[in-house]
Amino acid sequence: GAVVSQHPSRVICKSGTSVKIECRSLDFQATTMFWYRQFPKKSLMLMATSNEGSKATYEQGVEKDKFLINHASLTLSTLTVTSAHPEDSSFYICSARLGGRETQYFGPGTRLLVL
Amino acid sequence: TQLLEQSPQFLSIQEGENLTVYCNSSSVFSSLQWYRQEPGEGPVLLVTVVTGGEVKKLKRLTFQFGDARKDSSLHITAAQPGDTGLYLCAGGKNSGGSNYKLTFGKGTLLTVNP
């Protein structure tokens, strides 16, 4: 159990376009989902915490208007990178937490390349 | 900001050797989680420890949570090439609702050579 999926797994887009990444908890309801960014051979950097039905909480230095997060249901959160630029190229990973539990379960990640 | 110091950052060993990875902090965590990540994939949970002094074993991997819940270690016995990967420790602090977060260590990139 505790499977989290992400879609797409890879995306290449032109500079200036927007890209939406979906994160789904497949076999449990996730009260909280998290979005991370990871650079090659580095650790995970938390971008924002998303609670179902409420606004996301962004970490310091993360632009809310650039990284739009929507958590419309207990099994789906989306991250939209608006007006993407080459410096937004990265590995984006989501995780989901079942309410009351300590553990986060991670998705397989989405590789974004902005040309 | 809660800092979680993970060491060593890089480790290259021969098959059959033992190794230990450490995570230390000045903060108390309600839980400590260890993940293993392969290139191009998401982190996979290895273990969650929640009780001070807790020891958990997963085949050749032994995880320990410090008595004060500020530090943890991962010990691998007789490492194999399949153990190669990025090992991440993460401390959880639950303040309720949206305040729950995982603080990640910088990771240990382990290479086990045949």
Side-chain angles (χ1 to χ4, degrees), chain A residues 19-51:
Chain A
V19 174
K20 181 186 280 189
I21 302 171
E22 291 186 351
C23 177
R24 292 181 186 274
S25 57
L26 297 184
D27 51 0
F28 67 103
Q29 292 186 328
T31 51
T32 309
M33 288 184 170
F34 303 84
W35 287 96
Y36 295 84
R37 184 173 178 175
Q38 186 178 31
F39 293 101
K41 297 185 179 179
K42 298 293 183 182
S43 190
L44 278 69
M45 182 189 78
L46 179 65
M47 299 175 64
T49 302
S50 166
N51 287 292

Side-chain angles (χ1 to χ4, degrees), chain A residues 35-91:
Chain A
W35 287 96
Y36 295 84
R37 184 173 178 175
Q38 186 178 31
F39 293 101
K41 297 185 179 179
K42 298 293 183 182
S43 190
L44 278 69
M45 182 189 78
L46 179 65
M47 299 175 64
T49 302
S50 166
N51 287 292
E52 185 263 341
S54 62
K55 289 185 179 180
T57 302
Y58 290 81
E59 294 301 299
Q60 194 171 5
V62 178
E63 298 177 58
K64 300 179 184 181
D65 295 332
K66 179 154 191 68
F67 298 100
L68 299 179
I69 290 172
N70 184 277
H71 193 160
S73 77
L74 286 172
T75 59
L76 173 64
S77 177
T78 59
L79 168 68
T80 302
V81 183
T82 62
S83 187
H85 288 99
E87 57 266 30
D88 297 325
S89 298
S90 193
F91 194 49

Side-chain angles (χ1 to χ4, degrees), chain B residues 30-94:
Chain B
S30 56
S31 70
L32 203 296
Q33 297 166 38
W34 286 92
Y35 295 86
R36 177 169 166 266
Q37 185 181 26
E38 298 202 29
E41 299 180 10
V44 174
L45 178 70
L46 296 174
V47 78
T48 300
V49 285
V50 296
T51 305
E54 184 176 3
V55 176
K56 280 192 175 178
K57 291 194 175 184
L58 186 66
K59 296 184 180 178
R60 293 177 292 101
L61 279 60
T62 302
F63 306 86
Q64 186 163 7
F65 201 12
D67 290 341
R69 291 187 291 143
K70 293 182 179 181
D71 55 87
S72 181
S73 63
L74 158 61
H75 183 78
I76 301 180
T77 304
Q80 298 176 1
D83 295 327
T84 294
L86 179 67
Y87 288 82
L88 296 159
C89 66
K93 196 150 188 173
N94 193 348

